[in-house]
């Protein structure tokens, strides 16, 4: 991760352990994805085993980890730093 924004010079690390709060945002994102997977499996393949749900949620978590990690940090910093074009 860059220390400062290459465009505007905004420091990304505002204080030590600033991004610990992003874990809560990431948790909310994961719960939303889990609900989407559950509803999708129930609608498309009704009556399937719990194993299919667990495997699909596990694979989805691993595949989307880089996206979720960056997006949750971006959402967290936008709570505290306002964008000024």
């Amino acid at each position: 991760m860059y220390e400062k924004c290459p465009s505007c010079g905004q420091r990304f690390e505002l204080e030590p352990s600033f991004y610990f709060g992003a874990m809560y945002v990431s948790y909310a994102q994961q719960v939303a994805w889990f609900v989407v997977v559950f509803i999708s499996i129930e609608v498309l393949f009704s009556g399937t085993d719990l194993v299919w749900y667990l495997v699909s949620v596990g694979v989805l978590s691993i595949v989307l980890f880089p996206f979720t990690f960056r997006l949750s940090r971006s959402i967290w910093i936008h709570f505290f730093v306002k964008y000024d074009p």
Side-chain angles (χ1 to χ4, degrees), residues 1-55:
M1 186 170 155
Y2 293 115
E3 194 172 310
K4 292 184 178 185
C5 175
S7 299
C8 66
Q10 169 69 42
R11 283 186 45 225
F12 288 130
E13 190 72 31
L14 301 180
E15 60 186 36
S17 304
F18 174 72
Y19 287 105
F20 279 170
M23 291 187 299
Y24 298 108
V25 177
S26 176
Y27 177 76
Q29 289 175 346
Q30 290 295 328
V31 167
W33 281 116
F34 295 171
V35 168
V36 167
V37 167
F38 176 75
I39 291 173
S40 299
I41 288 175
E42 284 298 315
V43 169
L44 297 175
F45 310 106
S46 61
T48 58
D49 292 335
L50 181 63
V51 173
W52 283 104
Y53 172 70
L54 295 175
V55 167

